Amino acid sequence: MILNHLMGLYTHPKEEWHTIEKNHESFKSSLSHILLIALIPVICSYIATTHIGWDLGIGERHFLTVRSAFFMSLSMYLGLLTGVFILAYLIFWMAKTFDATPTYTQSLELAAYTATPVFMVGFACLFPVLWFIMIIGLIGLAYSIYLLFTGVPIIMNIHEDKSIVYTLSVLTAGFILLSALMGTSAILWGWGLAPVYQ
């Protein structure tokens, strides 16, 4: 079932990771989770940029044209999905170094569920004030990191001594991936795909 572990990961994460480990979902179920959860920041930021306006703390609120917001949202959605799939592949690939033999679906589960708090931060876009979103974003990122640290030894079946090094390796790869996605956005903006304000 889509989103069936969502509440458990927020209320009792370690127990929920054990449940996920016992009842591994199909690739289709993990994919459905990602496709649905990634819509949260996309839809909320589209509404914020076209109807509410962003408050950057200086001057008036900023609005995007509907066309520009649509293409920015579509790009964001594709970027988020690409990021999760690449992170899942990196999790899968690096596991061999730590004597783990997960399937790609297990790696995708780990990537999908640890990315979920960051995607849920998208709800904060409905109150589009820069300082507020940055605070909520940091909280979401911190919880994602916590989920990764608690989930790796359980889902990947790696001893806790090795799991710390493995988790730090995954975190490093994730931050490099995030930097690459941000760099790609900057390049695309330079090629004329920058946001168009009303």
Side-chain angles (χ1 to χ4, degrees):
M1 183 175 140
I2 300 171
L3 307 179
N4 58 347
H5 299 291
L6 193 57
M7 284 306 297
L9 287 171
Y10 282 101
T11 57
H12 48 275
K14 287 187 180 180
E15 292 85 350
E16 198 62 35
W17 280 125
H18 283 292
T19 304
I20 293 167
E21 169 60 21
K22 286 177 192 168
N23 310 308
H24 282 296
E25 297 176 352
S26 65
F27 178 82
K28 183 180 174 185
S29 183
S30 296
L31 178 63
S32 299
H33 175 86
I34 297 164
L35 292 174
L36 188 60
I37 288 292
L39 285 173
I40 293 171
V42 172
I43 292 170
C44 292
S45 55
Y46 176 82
I47 292 168
T49 56
T50 56
H51 299 294
I52 303 171
W54 278 84
D55 182 357
L56 302 177
I58 48 169
E60 299 178 359
R61 289 184 176 268
H62 299 274
F63 294 85
L64 294 182
T65 64
V66 171
R67 186 171 190 265
S68 178
F70 173 77
F71 285 114
M72 296 284 289
S73 297
L74 181 62
S75 300
M76 175 194 265
Y77 189 62
L78 294 174
L80 291 173
L81 295 179
T82 302
V84 171
F85 285 116
I86 292 173
L87 184 60
Y89 178 76
L90 290 172
I91 289 170
F92 175 72
W93 177 72
M94 286 191 290
K96 297 170 188 173
T97 309
F98 293 87
D99 302 323
T101 54
T103 64
Y104 181 75
T105 302
Q106 284 174 278
S107 303
L108 186 60
E109 279 178 329
L110 184 64
Y113 286 120
T114 55
T116 297
V118 173
F119 290 173
M120 298 287 280
V121 167
F123 283 120
C125 291
L126 296 175
F127 183 67
V129 178
L130 187 60
W131 65 265
F132 175 74
I133 292 179
M134 291 197 58
I135 290 170
I136 299 299
L138 287 173
I139 292 169
L141 181 62
Y143 198 72
S144 283
I145 292 169
Y146 171 74
L147 284 180
L148 186 64
F149 270 98
T150 56
V152 161
I154 299 166
I155 298 294
M156 307 306 277
N157 295 310
I158 297 176
H159 192 271
E160 290 208 13
D161 295 341
K162 290 183 176 180
S163 74
I164 293 171
V165 177
Y166 176 72
T167 305
L168 291 173
S169 302
V170 171
L171 273 176
T172 303
F175 283 123
I176 291 169
L177 182 60
L178 180 63
S179 300
L181 288 172
M182 291 172 70
T184 303
S185 298
I187 291 168
L188 291 174
W189 286 19
W191 287 349
L193 299 174
V196 179
Y197 296 95
Q198 291 183 12

